Amino acid sequence: MSKGAIVTRAEDFPRWYQEVVAGAEMAENGPAAGTMVIRPWGYGIWELLVAEMDRRIKEAGADNAYFPLFIPESFLKLEADHVEGFAPELAIVTHGGGKELDEPLVVRPTSETVINSLFSKWIQSYRDLPLCINQWANVVRWEMRPRLFLRSREFLWQEGHTAHATEAEARAYALQILNDVYRATMVDVVGIPVLTGHKTPRERFAGATHTWTCEGMMGDGKSLQMGTSHELGQNFAKAFDITFSTRDGGLEHAWQTSWGASTRLIGALIMGHGDDGGLRLPPALAPAQVVVLMIKEDEAVRSAAAALVAELRAAGHRVRLDDRTETSFGRRSVDWELKGVPVRVEIGPRDLVEGNVTVVTRHTRVKETLPLAGVGTEVAAILARVGPELLAEATSFRDDRTVTVDSLDAALEAGATGFARIPMKVLGDEGEDRLGAKAMTVRCLQRADGTLAEEGDADADLVAVVGRSY
Amino acid sequence: MSKGAIVTRAEDFPRWYQEVVAGAEMAENGPAAGTMVIRPWGYGIWELLVAEMDRRIKEAGADNAYFPLFIPESFLKLEADHVEGFAPELAIVTHGGGKELDEPLVVRPTSETVINSLFSKWIQSYRDLPLCINQWANVVRWEMRPRLFLRSREFLWQEGHTAHATEAEARAYALQILNDVYRATMVDVVGIPVLTGHKTPRERFAGATHTWTCEGMMGDGKSLQMGTSHELGQNFAKAFDITFSTRDGGLEHAWQTSWGASTRLIGALIMGHGDDGGLRLPPALAPAQVVVLMIKEDEAVRSAAAALVAELRAAGHRVRLDDRTETSFGRRSVDWELKGVPVRVEIGPRDLVEGNVTVVTRHTRVKETLPLAGVGTEVAAILARVGPELLAEATSFRDDRTVTVDSLDAALEAGATGFARIPMKVLGDEGEDRLGAKAMTVRCLQRADGTLAEEGDADADLVAVVGRSY
């Protein structure tokens, strides 16, 4: 049970975030430092998000599989950039079955290396390509400043790994995932208007030749990297000897991609839509889309509530009945607000006598007294509006905090509270150093019109989106 | 791509199993000893199984959540039987983020202890009960003789954990899971006619007061424990201080259950239904229920195949088109047999001229030449028969290998190749010792009529089902 009122975003955004996570019973710290317990409300959101992403991943032609948690330490060392990128974050198993192991095992920070070692067995011929594999799994990275959903020492994610016959096919697939899986899920389902672009060399994934990213603006103006799709070139193919015989009898290294999105998306959902009352959920991700709340225990109230729950369920909505009348009405209302349930229907004996109920729309906090008869239609109409309205609100918030600038100083100012768009010609590599000194980074590079760079675009001709980030 | 012909079950059952797992591309060994890679065909089966179980678990009122992979070593020691049961099987993380840890972390062999530590925070009052939580996760047990799906050092499973106000409620819930989730899934979905009963004290879960089990007979007459549901009494509640204030103001320890089923079920599916041609899948668990196989590349064949695939998909079946005509027809047929796809429709130019196709039913290996027109109806009819016929076949196989005996010697003989049913009065504790010497165990205790023991039944009045096991 939550504690009720929380601090406002304006007072203390990080504390507000923590209080929403705790108050909405989404997650809490596990007993081992830096680990996370995802409670049913948070996990229910994750399940819905997984289903949405998984469907799109399968439509993009990838098959799910599962790879081992433990990786021999020697494997990680096969790709030089990769091991350098991950070495400081590893958890190491040194003992198993009561004995010290001959070779320590790394708890996967990503399955890149183990999957590539298998790709080298599975891929022989051009007929085996493209090979597109996805995994839903837990991974471990030894974060020093853990925050629930945003940076925990263990998190849940999907990681896709693919191999293709040509560089062009690999690029096309990396972009298909970026656009049709990530961007589509983040915009259409999570309701966050992500910017897409590619990372500068210093921000790339360890071992990638290109990292494409989705960046969402959070309620404090900071950016959150919500998913990345990498082109790996032939780096891992060479390190792991992934070769295929070509149609005309040659032998070539495969071209690869990898891509991931994680429980971090729940952090984005909280910080992208939350208000001072707590979470605001788009119906697509709400474990309960409607709560029917009995104000008091009363025969007429109970029977009206049961009938409404049945009607709404029959209409295909996810509905909870709140009949915990031993707990105060006010406390329960605040709890459902915190949890972000899109629509609340309150049924009490007095209103019911007149045939009325109270309908509360979470994202606008509008409260209406409406006739019980026909309220199902009204609820459906509200639910249809919530997602688009949350997206529109997040979009105008982002646009209000995005400034196009033509000097580094202006970028440093605007980037502190939102996004600064600055030509890479103006920023340059040295400017990127200076951003770092102010805890800012280039979130992504785009064309001036906000579209992705195309073959032949030099980074110097693009615009850098600059901001602070999680 | 599989290698084709496999050894027969009669020749070498364990090798047959390995060859099916490899040949059907279900799983293979990971690079770290004892770990398992679940390939798309195996994982596709798992996804279908998870969906079936998850739906039933939710109908039983449990919510999904997620708990940390790492558990402080001290936690495991809080429940004495539990730590004794698991200590020899643990994997230990000693280093994280480049440093030796102050307290080593155990990689969860089960989340029992960490979940109970949270239950002690979440449960305060009778209003918080029952609390029913389920988790889908990977767990690690340092098996010394690993076998894919049956005993691997990491496996996937679900573990349910619940807390109740009374012992009777806990028992009722443990049995609800046993019957409505496990038995229902295993019989109705996997098609294995499991026996249900409870374990003798020596076979119980470490820390449980009662372990209820589902035991399936495999194709070699051995038993496989396919899922267990435990009553934990107040053991963990006392160790982890899980108390609740009662309605009349008292303070009591909760009564608990836990229950799990794992990727082992895929092993049961293979060994319960497989034949000398490989896997035989019930349609409910077949990633592809029908494969439409083009015998040769040919315009008419391709167009007929595409139309049939579309028709079958529209009818709701999972369908694959096999147009890999560069690979020999015979090789591809053997591959689909190995993979256990329930129905294969072969389309070739010669038959097609006469408007015919060949339909092969995997589980009976019946091959029919049928008119293409109307073949969709025929396929649907076959698919409807497969599940019940596989279950019937497994049931008669089990019944043929089950003998009711009244002496230990007879039990030792019959139990070597199947199930021996022997009164516990005859077997006794000493008899159980002697079974162990012959690599046999009591798989479960039941009433003589095969039903579960009820309140008041003494173990001595029950029948022991004796056999070898995995």
Side-chain angles (χ1 to χ4, degrees):
Chain A
M1 196 62 65
S2 69
K3 283 189 242 124
I6 54 173
V7 73
T8 66
R9 288 166 299 162
E11 281 174 274
D12 186 341
F13 195 85
R15 205 177 121 203
W16 167 85
Y17 177 79
Q18 285 180 347
E19 292 187 357
V20 173
V21 170
E25 300 181 319
M26 300 178 81
E28 62 185 84
N29 294 315
T35 64
M36 170 169 61
V37 174
I38 309 179
R39 301 187 66 174
W41 195 252
Y43 199 81
I45 294 170
W46 180 239
E47 285 183 300
L48 292 164
L49 198 47
V50 166
E52 291 279 356
M53 298 223 328
D54 193 62
R55 179 168 58 76
R56 289 173 173 83
I57 288 169
K58 284 173 173 151
E59 281 170 9
D63 287 323
N64 285 341
Y66 187 79
F67 298 86
L69 176 69
F70 296 143
I71 304 176
E73 209 174 28
S74 54
F75 265 59
L76 226 77
K77 296 180 177 158
L78 287 172
E79 213 288 332
D81 289 336
H82 190 71
V83 68
E84 197 184 313
F86 282 107
E89 299 185 355
L90 301 178
I92 312 283
V93 174
T94 54
H95 292 73
K99 288 188 188 152
E100 183 162 0
L101 303 177
D102 292 336
E103 182 183 3
L105 297 173
V106 169
V107 184
R108 64 180 164 218
T110 157
S111 301
E112 215 74 43
T113 56
V114 68
I115 291 180
N116 281 314
S117 77
L118 288 151
F119 273 24
S120 76
K121 291 170 62 178
W122 295 345
I123 296 170
Q124 303 297 330
S125 145
Y126 68 93
R127 286 192 201 88
D128 302 322
L129 300 178
L131 180 61
C132 303
I133 296 285
N134 179 62
Q135 169 177 248
W136 290 98
N138 55 344
V139 285
V140 169
R141 298 179 187 177
W142 214 258
E143 298 287 354
M144 296 318 290
R145 292 170 305 139
R147 288 186 69 182
L148 294 170
F149 293 121
L150 299 174
R151 261 195 318 271
S152 49
R153 289 191 178 166
E154 178 195 6
F155 58 91
L156 305 182
W157 79 342
Q158 62 65 222
E159 51 179 314
H161 300 268
T162 71
H164 306 264
T166 66
E167 184 174 18
E169 283 175 41
R171 164 157 302 189
Y173 200 80
L175 292 178
Q176 184 182 350
I177 294 295
L178 183 81
N179 290 315
D180 299 352
V181 178
Y182 291 157
R183 186 176 223 292
T185 304
M186 289 162 198
V187 175
D188 302 342
V189 180
V190 187
I192 308 268
V194 290
L195 299 180
T196 50
H198 65 277
K199 293 286 185 184
T200 57
R202 70 181 76 187
E203 299 290 331
R204 262 182 218 148
F205 175 70
T209 59
H210 281 80
T211 287
W212 301 92
T213 183
C214 295
E215 301 283 328
M217 187 186 281
M218 303 294 100
D220 58 354
K222 283 194 196 174
S223 190
L224 184 74
Q225 179 178 302
M226 291 170 62
T228 46
S229 182
H230 315 290
E231 291 175 61
L232 304 174
Q234 296 177 309
N235 291 342
F236 286 89
K238 285 176 178 164
F240 286 89
D241 197 24
I242 305 173
T243 56
F244 65 97
S245 56
T246 60
R247 207 176 271 271
D248 51 15
L251 193 70
E252 288 181 12
H253 284 104
W255 296 86
Q256 296 189 265
T257 80
S258 73
W259 25 282
S262 74
T263 34
R264 227 178 187 219
L265 286 172
I266 299 177
L269 180 67
I270 298 167
M271 294 194 293
H273 295 313
D275 68 9
D276 290 343
L279 196 57
R280 297 192 300 173
L281 288 175
L285 297 179
Q289 298 167 317
V290 187
V291 61
V292 174
L293 188 153
M294 288 170 53
I295 295 176
K296 277 191 182 171
E297 186 59 63
D298 171 285
E299 208 181 302
V301 166
R302 184 167 283 276
S303 110
L308 182 58
V309 166
E311 179 194 340
L312 292 169
R313 284 191 181 145
H317 308 304
R318 290 185 288 274
V319 186
R320 294 265 175 107
L321 172 68
D322 180 352
D323 61 354
R324 299 168 300 154
T325 47
E326 292 181 19
T327 304
S328 82
F329 163 66
R331 164 71 170 275
R332 290 184 288 145
S333 304
V334 168
D335 278 349
W336 293 119
E337 296 252 311
L338 258 168
K339 284 192 151 79
V341 174
V343 181
R344 196 164 76 241
V345 182
E346 302 170 349
I347 307 186
R350 249 179 305 172
D351 280 353
L352 197 58
V353 170
E354 293 162 36
N356 289 332
V357 295
T358 302
V359 176
V360 189
T361 301
R362 172 64 186 90
H363 75 295
T364 57
R365 301 185 109 165
V366 167
K367 208 165 176 159
E368 299 162 283
T369 301
L370 295 173
L372 173 59
V375 81
T377 313
E378 186 57 33
V379 166
I382 297 171
L383 287 175
R385 283 201 305 268
V386 181
E389 289 183 8
L390 285 174
L391 175 62
E393 195 179 326
T395 305
S396 70
F397 179 84
R398 182 200 64 187
D399 292 348
D400 289 348
R401 293 206 179 204
T402 301
V403 183
T404 298
V405 300
D406 56 9
S407 75
L408 178 60
D409 286 342
L412 287 168
E413 197 191 327
T417 55
F419 288 153
R421 301 177 61 84
I422 179 169
M424 270 304 275
K425 273 209 178 84
V426 177
L427 183 67
D429 198 52
E430 202 182 309
E432 216 181 332
D433 287 340
R434 288 194 47 206
L435 292 177
K438 296 283 183 186
M440 287 178 217
T441 44
V442 174
R443 304 312 305 153
C444 65
L445 301 180
Q446 304 181 319
R447 286 181 157 187
D449 65 0
T451 58
L452 298 178
E454 304 238 351
E455 201 60 48
D457 285 346
D459 281 0
D461 298 329
L462 299 172
V463 164
V465 179
V466 166
R468 297 215 159 131
S469 74
Y470 283 90
Chain B
M1 195 63 68
S2 69
K3 285 193 238 115
I6 54 173
V7 73
T8 65
R9 288 166 299 162
E11 281 174 276
D12 187 341
F13 195 85
R15 205 176 121 203
W16 168 85
Y17 176 80
Q18 284 181 347
E19 292 187 356
V20 173
V21 170
E25 300 181 319
M26 301 178 80
E28 62 184 85
N29 293 315
T35 64
M36 170 169 60
V37 173
I38 309 180
R39 301 187 65 175
W41 194 253
Y43 199 81
I45 294 169
W46 179 240
E47 285 182 301
L48 292 163
L49 197 48
V50 166
E52 291 280 357
M53 299 223 327
D54 194 61
R55 179 169 58 77
R56 288 173 173 83
I57 288 168
K58 283 173 175 153
E59 280 170 10
D63 287 323
N64 285 340
Y66 187 79
F67 298 86
L69 175 69
F70 296 142
I71 305 176
E73 209 174 28
S74 55
F75 266 58
L76 227 77
K77 297 180 177 158
L78 287 172
E79 213 288 333
D81 291 335
H82 190 72
V83 68
E84 197 183 314
F86 283 107
E89 299 185 356
L90 301 178
I92 312 283
V93 174
T94 54
H95 291 73
K99 286 187 190 152
E100 184 162 1
L101 303 177
D102 292 336
E103 182 183 2
L105 297 173
V106 170
V107 184
R108 62 178 165 219
T110 157
S111 301
E112 215 75 42
T113 56
V114 68
I115 290 180
N116 282 314
S117 77
L118 288 152
F119 273 24
S120 76
K121 291 170 63 175
W122 295 345
I123 296 169
Q124 304 296 331
S125 146
Y126 68 92
R127 288 192 200 89
D128 302 322
L129 300 178
L131 180 60
C132 303
I133 296 286
N134 179 61
Q135 169 177 247
W136 291 97
N138 54 344
V139 286
V140 168
R141 298 178 187 178
W142 214 258
E143 298 288 354
M144 296 318 290
R145 292 171 305 140
R147 288 186 69 182
L148 294 170
F149 292 122
L150 299 174
R151 261 194 318 269
S152 49
R153 288 191 178 166
E154 177 194 7
F155 57 91
L156 305 182
W157 79 343
Q158 62 65 222
E159 51 180 312
H161 300 268
T162 71
H164 307 264
T166 67
E167 184 175 18
E169 283 175 41
R171 164 157 300 190
Y173 200 80
L175 293 179
Q176 183 183 351
I177 294 294
L178 183 81
N179 291 316
D180 300 351
V181 178
Y182 291 157
R183 186 177 224 291
T185 304
M186 289 162 198
V187 176
D188 302 342
V189 180
V190 188
I192 308 268
V194 290
L195 299 180
T196 50
H198 65 277
K199 293 286 186 185
T200 57
R202 70 180 77 186
E203 299 290 331
R204 261 181 220 149
F205 175 70
T209 60
H210 282 81
T211 287
W212 301 92
T213 183
C214 295
E215 301 282 328
M217 187 185 283
M218 303 295 100
D220 58 354
K222 284 193 194 173
S223 188
L224 184 75
Q225 179 178 301
M226 290 171 63
T228 46
S229 182
H230 315 290
E231 292 175 62
L232 304 174
Q234 296 176 311
N235 291 344
F236 286 88
K238 284 177 178 164
F240 287 88
D241 197 25
I242 304 172
T243 56
F244 65 98
S245 57
T246 61
R247 207 175 272 269
D248 51 15
L251 193 69
E252 289 182 12
H253 284 105
W255 296 85
Q256 296 189 265
T257 80
S258 73
W259 26 281
S262 75
T263 34
R264 228 179 187 219
L265 287 172
I266 299 178
L269 180 67
I270 299 168
M271 294 194 294
H273 295 313
D275 68 9
D276 291 343
L279 196 57
R280 297 192 301 172
L281 289 174
L285 297 178
Q289 296 167 318
V290 187
V291 61
V292 175
L293 188 154
M294 286 170 54
I295 294 176
K296 277 189 181 172
E297 185 59 61
D298 170 286
E299 209 181 301
V301 166
R302 184 167 283 276
S303 111
L308 181 58
V309 166
E311 179 193 339
L312 292 168
R313 283 191 181 144
H317 308 304
R318 289 186 288 275
V319 186
R320 294 264 175 109
L321 172 68
D322 179 353
D323 61 354
R324 299 169 299 153
T325 47
E326 292 179 20
T327 304
S328 81
F329 163 67
R331 164 71 171 274
R332 290 183 289 143
S333 304
V334 168
D335 278 348
W336 293 119
E337 296 253 310
L338 258 167
K339 283 191 150 79
V341 174
V343 180
R344 197 162 76 241
V345 182
E346 302 169 349
I347 308 186
R350 249 180 305 173
D351 280 353
L352 196 58
V353 170
E354 292 162 37
N356 289 332
V357 296
T358 303
V359 175
V360 189
T361 300
R362 173 66 186 89
H363 75 294
T364 57
R365 301 184 108 166
V366 167
K367 206 165 179 159
E368 299 163 282
T369 300
L370 295 173
L372 174 59
V375 81
T377 313
E378 185 57 33
V379 166
I382 298 171
L383 286 175
R385 284 201 304 268
V386 180
E389 289 182 9
L390 285 175
L391 175 61
E393 196 179 325
T395 305
S396 70
F397 179 85
R398 182 200 66 188
D399 292 348
D400 288 349
R401 292 203 180 207
T402 301
V403 183
T404 298
V405 299
D406 55 9
S407 76
L408 178 60
D409 285 342
L412 286 168
E413 197 191 326
T417 54
F419 288 154
R421 301 178 60 83
I422 179 170
M424 271 304 274
K425 273 210 177 82
V426 178
L427 183 67
D429 199 50
E430 202 181 308
E432 217 181 331
D433 286 341
R434 286 194 47 205
L435 291 178
K438 297 279 183 187
M440 286 178 218
T441 44
V442 173
R443 304 312 306 154
C444 66
L445 302 180
Q446 305 180 319
R447 285 181 157 187
D449 65 1
T451 59
L452 298 178
E454 305 239 351
E455 201 60 49
D457 287 347
D459 281 0
D461 297 329
L462 299 171
V463 164
V465 179
V466 166
R468 298 215 158 131
S469 74
Y470 282 90

